[in-house]
Amino acid sequence: MNTHTAHEIVVLGAGYTGLIATARLARYTRKLNTRITVVNPSSRFTERLRMHQVAAGQELTDYQIPDLLAGTGVEFHRASATAIDTAAKVVTLDDRAVLRYDTLVYALGSAADTSMVPGAAEHAWTLDDPRAARLFSQRLPEINAARGAVTVCGGGLTGIEAAAEIAEAYPELTVTLVSSGEPGAMMGVKARAHLNRVLDRLGVVRMVGVKATKVLPTAVGLDTGVNLGSDLTLWTTGVRVSSLATRAGISTDARGLIITDPTLRSESHPDIHAIGDAALVRQPWGQIHGTCQSGVVTADYTATVIARLLRGKKVKPLRFGYFHQPVSLGRRDAVIQFTKADDTPNRWYLTGKVAAFYKEQVSSTPPLAAKMSRYVKLPVQLSKGGRATRKATRAGTGSSEG
């Protein structure tokens, strides 16, 4: 390959979305004159779907990103992006390196928003960083021995999974889930009933219709005026994205999500493709919300789009519909709510050991799909939404995981 004239593709972020996009780009453009560089602050692949397991003290497989991409020709650059110059088409990194791009894939993901409530950033833990999740887990044995208390703020799927995992691993703890809405509200009645039965069996206390107003070193202040004693507080509510795109002058919404066209290219800068949690992606039924399910699909779609554009071929708009809401409830139980395209529940669901096995397969798929992409095209999308992606329907309530 003549590297002086190669089409430079830079991928920012190697989470689920960025890693799948990179692996698929390598496969789809291998006969083209391209050079692909993926940028990520850590060489270890972070399994966001399993961070609640890390927080409960479990060890995960050490997936190294360069190993997952071995044999693809992709260059891995360990760093974080600090600036994008869209006029010069360069990305500046925190190690002072500067990368030129012809095509940029923006896959920086999201993190828990600890700016929402005073004290959350200082005194609460999050599941964004596996190192922090591991430090959190190291505190649990001592607190469990003292029959202490752990509070999980946020009743979305992440909060539910974390509360169940911790309660199962440390039965002497008092685990309280604080949620402004009903946990599992996006599910059907029967699936939600199973979820609540398991949380009852594990002893998870639920405070529903309550909001945290402050986080203290040993308590969580609630809007009821009560200070709930808490030896450790885990923050899983609210989402924020990097300000990098907004600072670069790329069109974003009020939250910083890159506004995309129907092919997931930036409306203001078509040479930038935005995918995953940091992209504003609309379908006829509503806006896609951040999940691994939608992330890996947009990743594969974008790799296909870039390859077709480089070949001078036409591209079709993304058609996507949700298929399921998988929720682990400890290591031996789970609930899988199957859904309509807009993520509202349909009549089908799984529970118990079968559901736990299903969820394990879901969690295991992304690194396997990335590693095997150089050999075969593994399917990442179970539903394109059918008619729901061709005409507007009622938008789903959405979730934040799975």
Side-chain angles (χ1 to χ4, degrees):
M1 177 184 289
N2 183 352
T3 56
H4 294 292
T5 58
H7 186 94
E8 299 281 357
I9 302 173
V10 174
V11 182
L12 298 183
Y16 290 112
T17 307
L19 183 68
I20 293 293
T22 302
R24 295 297 169 87
L25 275 167
R27 178 175 176 81
Y28 299 161
T29 67
R30 61 185 175 182
K31 294 183 180 180
L32 301 174
N33 190 21
T34 61
R35 183 164 61 186
I36 303 170
T37 303
V38 61
V39 178
N40 200 67
S42 171
S43 63
R44 180 170 180 170
F45 175 63
T46 298
E47 294 187 88
R48 286 290 293 270
L49 291 181
R50 297 187 187 274
M51 282 301 97
H52 58 286
Q53 294 177 237
V54 177
Q58 298 166 34
E59 289 293 330
L60 303 183
T61 302
D62 183 3
Y63 291 113
Q64 292 291 314
I65 296 169
D67 293 341
L68 293 173
L69 296 173
T72 63
V74 170
E75 179 180 344
F76 173 74
H77 196 121
R78 182 175 178 176
S80 295
T82 58
I84 301 172
D85 185 333
T86 57
K89 301 180 75 168
V90 296
V91 179
T92 302
L93 308 179
D94 61 1
D95 63 358
R96 299 185 180 180
V98 176
L99 300 180
R100 188 186 70 81
Y101 68 86
D102 296 301
T103 297
L104 182 67
V105 179
Y106 192 99
L108 290 183
S110 64
D113 189 356
T114 55
S115 68
M116 300 169 60
V117 170
E122 295 81 9
H123 305 304
W125 300 74
T126 73
L127 298 179
D128 297 323
D129 186 336
R131 294 167 297 184
R134 191 166 292 108
L135 290 173
F136 176 94
S137 73
Q138 292 170 359
R139 297 280 307 279
L140 292 176
E142 179 183 355
I143 297 172
N144 182 65
R147 297 177 178 268
V150 171
T151 303
V152 179
C153 294
L157 303 189
T158 302
I160 292 168
E161 291 189 322
E165 203 77 45
I166 294 167
E168 181 181 76
Y170 295 96
E172 301 303 320
L173 284 174
T174 298
V175 179
T176 302
L177 184 63
V178 175
S179 178
S180 59
E182 182 181 0
M186 74 292 294
M187 295 182 168
V189 174
K190 294 182 178 179
R192 191 164 63 249
H194 179 79
L195 184 152
N196 281 307
R197 283 194 297 271
V198 176
L199 293 180
D200 285 340
R201 173 171 57 79
L202 295 174
V204 176
V205 179
R206 275 94 76 202
M207 302 190 70
V208 180
V210 176
K211 292 183 179 181
T213 57
K214 60 183 176 181
V215 180
L216 304 170
T218 58
V220 176
L222 306 176
D223 60 1
T224 59
V226 172
N227 277 355
L228 178 67
S230 181
D231 296 294
L232 280 178
T233 300
L234 188 62
W235 194 264
T236 69
T237 185
V239 174
R240 61 176 174 82
V241 300
S242 170
S243 63
L244 183 66
T246 303
R247 288 187 280 111
I250 302 166
S251 293
T252 59
D253 71 357
R255 296 176 296 161
L257 305 182
I258 293 180
I259 301 171
T260 63
D261 69 11
T263 64
L264 306 194
R265 302 166 79 183
S266 162
E267 285 192 342
S268 61
H269 297 80
D271 53 350
I272 298 175
H273 300 248
I275 54 178
D277 293 3
L280 177 62
V281 180
R282 300 184 182 92
Q283 292 289 281
W285 49 260
Q287 182 177 325
I288 291 177
H289 51 269
T291 67
C292 176
Q293 183 182 175
S294 58
V296 296
V297 171
T298 59
D300 181 69
Y301 169 82
T302 287
T304 302
V305 166
I306 292 171
R308 290 186 65 84
L309 289 173
L310 290 177
R311 290 185 171 91
K313 296 183 177 181
K314 294 181 179 180
V315 296
K316 296 180 180 180
L318 173 71
R319 284 180 54 202
F320 171 75
Y322 287 97
F323 179 75
H324 60 193
Q325 298 164 351
V327 188
S328 65
L329 300 171
R331 292 299 82 208
R332 297 181 295 274
D333 211 329
V335 57
I336 314 297
Q337 173 67 69
F338 296 101
T339 69
K340 301 174 185 177
D342 63 1
D343 208 30
T344 53
N346 66 25
R347 60 183 295 190
W348 306 108
Y349 66 98
L350 292 175
T351 61
K353 292 182 179 179
V354 173
F357 176 80
Y358 184 108
K359 177 61 162 67
E360 179 61 26
Q361 303 316 301
V362 169
S363 298
S364 301
T365 295
L368 173 65
K371 189 172 183 177
M372 296 301 293
S373 284
R374 61 186 180 275
Y375 304 118
V376 295
K377 180 178 179 179
L378 298 179
V380 295
Q381 184 165 357
L382 295 173
S383 169
K384 292 184 178 180
R387 288 176 296 175
T389 60
R390 295 192 290 271
K391 65 178 182 179
T393 64
R394 180 169 57 92
T397 55
S399 62
S400 60
E401 182 83 17

